[in-house]
Amino acid sequence: MKRAPGSRGIVSAAEVFEKYRAHVNPGLAALVKFMGFDAVEESAQGAIVRDTEGNEYIDCLGGFGALSLGHRHPKVVAAVREQLERMPLSSKILLNDRLADLCQRLAEITPGDLQYSFICNSGAEAVEGALKLARLATGRRGIVGAVGGFHGKTMGALSASGRDLYRKPFAPLVPGFSHVPFGDAEALREAVSGDTAAVILEPIQGEAGVVIPADDYLSAAREICSAAGALLVLDEVQTGLGRTGSLFACEHWGVAPDIMTLAKALGGGVMPVGAFVARAELWDAWRVNPLHSSTFGGNPLACAAALAALEVVIEERLPQRARELGQHTLHALGELRQRFPDAVVEVRGRGLLIGVEFAHEDLAGLAIAGLAQRRVIAAYTLNNPRVIRLEPPLVIEEGQLARALSALGEAVEQAVALLADAGPYQDEPL
Ligand code: PLP
């Protein structure tokens, strides 16, 4: 059935669901239906998504963190429109001013002496490039990651990630990777050797369930890497650009990496954009052309979106907004935990990257379904399904956030009541 532009209610959810079941992924279709999200999204603005029936949802997932600026931020949309009219894709041979401006801007705003950038299309691709650069620049092979870490699902990024459920079906992964418990500096010290090219860490683990390390962990990791001649790769794909209350999460602890990866919010919620940014001396290794490349990476449309996004993050003081709204949210969630101490095990977060940890996975699933009934979009963290993440656009209005939090309270109450008679729970291993 064809839909007239701007019309509502003509595309039937049942029809789209059937196409998902038959041609996208039947498992995904079933999960979406179970959660109660089997409506068809039609348009969005800020923190609000509308479906084809005209229902409005408060978006507390923010596209897994890609929508820090909200849906369709006018400045990003305008920049992309303007670029679209001039030249959306690059000739790949002539110089491109949008790419040059973005790389310069990233050098200006990233911590330490990060100077060169490669612009790509996603977070996993940024991680792949960072890992390749680390091996090339050091001549070493070893990569140390953290248990529970999430860096994407391509082979290299998956090799760096730390959840067996996603890794095992694809073994053997890339050789040379090992994992240590996140937050344990001594374990990291023992794992790093003369053959370690890089240690890759998220400053705050997102998909592990929003895990914040002790205050001295990141600086210890920095010191361990420097002493061993290994590079420190900080994956700020999810934590970067204001999400945790500072422009980059590593700035909470005054630590600068040798290579930083970015994506998600870098596209301003309009375009897919990723980047890895590195110190100048590492970039010397790239001089042999083209050891690394991407047809679409660094395209002018994406760069225009990223440049506008960086401007908005700074102009609208989104890190500060994340900090303030985050404190308020953590306070409200602390009260929720007091109301349901057996169900809500912990609430934790920094800025607007917040995790609500439940006693077991079913409670989290039911709470998400309860949120769906109340038209709040939320999801669990990929490496820890006991944790619901609250990761709304940083531009979310206070009233919208308050409505979402009150819906969460109702959803938890409902989930607890539903499971009250279910008996003792056996959790699956993560
Ligand atoms: N790195 C981190 C820290 C992430 O959270 C993610 C995605 O959630 C990725 C990398 C992968 O990004 P993408 O899904 O764009 O490949």
Side-chain angles (χ1 to χ4, degrees), residues 348-420:
R348 51 183 181 259
R350 206 80 191 243
L352 277 177
L353 182 59
I354 292 178
V356 181
E357 178 157 355
F358 288 86
H360 51 78
E361 207 175 308
D362 281 3
L363 268 170
L366 285 169
I368 291 169
L371 283 169
Q373 282 169 13
R374 292 163 181 82
R375 304 224 165 90
V376 174
I377 298 174
Y380 61 81
T381 53
L382 284 178
N383 282 356
N384 188 348
R386 283 197 308 269
V387 178
I388 295 185
R389 49 131 67 93
L390 295 180
E391 200 172 357
L394 308 183
V395 298
I396 190 170
E397 292 168 12
E398 284 173 39
Q400 293 167 341
L401 189 55
R403 279 193 347 251
L405 288 170
S406 116
L408 179 61
E410 291 169 21
V412 172
E413 187 172 0
Q414 187 180 2
V416 168
L418 277 169
L419 285 184

Side-chain angles (χ1 to χ4, degrees), residues 122-124 150-152 202 207 235 237-238 264:
S122 71
F150 188 85
H151 303 286
E202 298 157 84
E207 301 302 330
D235 183 346
V237 163
Q238 182 146 226
K264 293 198 190 265

